[in-house]
Amino acid sequence: MAAYEKRRAAAALAPAAAPAAGSGLTEPAGAAGGGLGSEAEFLLRAGVTAMVREALLKVLEARPEEPVSFLADYFERLVLGSPEAAAELPGQPQRLARALWYVRLAHHSHRTAFDSNAGAAYEVLGAGGRRRRAGVDGRLYSELLRRICQHGAAPAEAAAALLGRVRCRDHEAVPFDVFRYGVLTCFVLLEFAAKADALFGVLDGGSGAADSRVCQAVLRALEDALGVGHFSVPSRYLEAGSKLGPDGLALAMDQALQERKIGPSMSREEFLSKATALFVAKVKPVE
């Protein structure tokens, strides 16, 4: 009995015999290398570990509002950035699309992340190709600003007027501080327009039109809150507008309705146009 137990233990410790040639049996992947070790080696050889680490660093750097969507876009753009995809896509539209993606990653109030993403967008646009020198020119810069303003509640005329104040000439080289200022101002315009739209939703009560006297009173109060002169930091427009508290609005609206007469109405489009015009008038032009 003791001899049997010794032979059984020895058999358990002996290495498994290799399958006979021609038997049709194959050794399971990772069996010889020891499971977890071979899996880690595979990830390292394939570059997956470094790729995932880089993606996580990008998330921490960009601080996007939707990290999962960011990661999905990030890996998709890795594919689009491959040599095969780059050969199929035009260089300039691809750079513009990627730059637009960068500047939308983080809200402008997250200053560190926004500045980092703006820097990445600047580098993407400034990448020199075979037929152009490295650097961001006024044409690419203006096109990026135009694409930013396309998505939002800002009226087209307000966006066009803003671009006229912050754009550079097509042949000019655009410094990064001018680039950042223009991008930031466009995003602040979109947020300002969204806040004005929400304000009109209070004034019209869902009817689509509001009393013109009330709208004019609110616009005057908004203009007073913005003050005179130009702001060098675009985000201060929103800070100034936030000073237009509920009490001030209520007082302006009450004074406008004291006559108790039915006055002309103002549409949402007209109100937004007037409100965003106040914003654009305060924007410091690029010199």
Side-chain angles (χ1 to χ4, degrees):
M1 186 67 178
Y4 172 76
E5 290 297 336
K6 289 181 180 180
R7 289 195 302 272
R8 182 179 178 185
L13 294 174
S23 64
L25 298 177
T26 58
E27 185 177 4
L36 293 177
S38 61
E39 292 173 0
E41 291 174 3
F42 167 76
L43 294 177
L44 287 172
R45 286 197 308 270
V48 175
T49 302
M51 187 187 307
V52 173
R53 183 186 296 113
E54 180 68 18
L56 294 178
L57 290 175
K58 288 292 184 182
V59 171
L60 293 175
E61 180 183 0
R63 303 295 176 93
E65 297 181 0
E66 298 181 1
V68 175
S69 298
F70 169 85
L71 287 172
D73 288 340
Y74 175 80
F75 286 117
E76 180 180 358
R77 290 175 187 279
L78 279 183
V79 177
L80 291 177
S82 65
E84 296 80 3
E88 298 176 0
L89 295 175
Q92 181 175 311
Q94 184 182 12
R95 288 197 302 274
L96 280 167
R98 182 167 294 188
L100 186 62
W101 177 71
Y102 270 120
V103 296
R104 285 178 176 168
L105 285 177
H107 191 267
H108 60 80
S109 61
H110 303 156
R111 183 171 179 178
T112 301
F114 182 84
D115 288 352
S116 176
N117 295 334
Y122 186 80
E123 291 181 2
V124 167
L125 286 183
R130 294 180 179 178
R131 298 184 180 180
R132 63 184 298 271
R133 293 176 298 175
V136 178
D137 57 36
R139 184 169 57 87
L140 280 176
Y141 164 70
S142 298
E143 178 61 21
L144 178 66
L145 300 187
R146 188 187 66 81
R147 295 192 181 196
I148 292 174
C149 292
Q150 280 182 338
H151 303 277
E157 63 271 16
L162 176 66
L163 293 180
R165 298 177 76 86
V166 299
R167 69 162 36 120
C168 298
R169 286 188 288 270
D170 289 353
H171 64 276
E172 286 184 315
V174 181
F176 176 70
D177 57 342
V178 173
F179 177 87
R180 180 190 176 280
Y181 175 76
V183 170
L184 176 60
T185 305
C186 288
F187 279 114
V188 175
L189 169 64
L190 297 183
E191 186 169 351
F192 189 91
K195 291 182 181 297
D197 184 70
L199 179 58
F200 185 83
V202 175
L203 300 178
D204 75 339
S207 64
D211 191 295
S212 179
R213 295 169 300 167
V214 177
C215 292
Q216 292 291 354
V218 171
L219 289 170
R220 285 194 298 270
L222 180 58
E223 185 175 15
D224 292 340
L226 289 174
V228 295
H230 299 295
F231 289 134
S232 59
V233 181
S235 58
R236 291 183 182 174
Y237 299 122
L238 298 177
E239 296 174 6
S242 66
K243 295 178 182 178
L244 190 63
D247 294 340
L249 278 178
L251 179 60
M253 294 166 63
D254 184 64
Q255 291 176 347
L257 292 175
Q258 282 181 357
E259 297 180 4
R260 301 293 182 181
K261 296 180 180 179
I262 299 177
S265 61
M266 181 180 292
S267 66
R268 180 183 299 272
E269 291 74 17
E270 183 180 359
F271 182 83
L272 286 179
S273 178
K274 291 179 179 295
T276 51
L278 294 175
F279 171 89
V280 173
K282 300 297 181 182
V283 173
K284 182 180 180 180
V286 171
E287 299 178 356

